[in-house]
Amino acid sequence: MAYVIRGIDPAPFQPLYGMSDADLAEHGAIRRRADAKPGFPCRITLTDAEPGEDLLLVNFEHLPVGNPYRSRYAVYVREGATAPAEYRDEVPGQLASRLLSVRRFGTDDMLMAGEVIEGTDLDPLLRAWLADPATGFVHVHNAKPGCFAAEVRRD
């Protein structure tokens, strides 16, 4: 089953780019400078920031559904990112190199299944889950910190 992994839309974060730390704090955001790689995964570009790059740590509602699974959490976005990454039938290195928590949601936005896997095992799991027409989408999280990493849908 063909799939696409997309980075999140940068539009909600672009007004924060270039703000002072005090102004960011008023918006519940924090600027962080990457000091290691990996360690600062941008959810827009789906790549890890290079040491010395600035990112914003923001709260992001990754599951805006009208049921108990509605969810938001902290994510990094690369300051200045303007376009979301798109990977068709390919797992970005940022995901392939991490331990992942993968969650399958139905077309009714309800959780169907969850797995903890090595990122190198993501492709076959996505293909199997998305082959089932009852699957609406898949969410991928970094397993250890629990943060949202990416959404996957049929292509």
Side-chain angles (χ1 to χ4, degrees):
M1 175 59 57
Y3 63 86
V4 62
I5 301 174
R6 285 189 183 89
I8 62 177
D9 181 5
F13 313 109
Q14 288 174 328
L16 303 174
Y17 297 173
M19 278 189 180
S20 70
D21 290 348
D23 288 340
L24 286 172
E26 289 181 19
H27 289 86
I30 300 169
R31 180 174 289 108
R32 292 283 189 241
R33 180 154 291 155
D35 60 6
K37 184 179 178 180
F40 295 83
C42 175
R43 299 318 193 283
I44 296 170
T45 64
L46 300 179
T47 58
D48 283 293
E50 295 293 331
E53 279 189 89
D54 285 336
L55 298 99
L56 300 177
L57 182 60
V58 297
N59 190 268
F60 174 67
E61 187 171 23
H62 59 273
L63 194 53
V65 296
N67 67 40
Y69 290 106
R70 184 177 185 156
S71 190
R72 56 186 318 126
Y73 199 73
V75 297
Y76 285 112
V77 296
R78 184 176 268 117
E79 192 162 14
T82 59
E86 210 170 81
Y87 290 82
R88 285 187 155 65
D89 296 326
E90 177 187 2
V91 175
Q94 180 193 88
L95 299 179
S97 64
R98 287 178 164 84
L99 182 66
L100 303 173
S101 170
V102 188
R103 301 166 191 174
R104 176 183 179 195
F105 290 87
T107 56
D108 60 357
D109 298 331
M110 294 296 288
L111 184 68
M112 295 177 70
E115 296 285 338
V116 175
I117 62 169
E118 293 295 334
T120 53
D121 297 327
L122 183 58
D123 179 79
L125 181 65
L126 292 175
R127 290 180 189 281
W129 280 358
L130 292 168
D132 180 349
T135 302
F137 58 94
V138 176
H139 272 193
V140 181
H141 294 248
N142 291 341
K144 291 183 181 182
C147 49
F148 174 77
E151 183 173 278
V152 186
R153 294 196 177 257
R154 287 179 194 84
D155 191 15

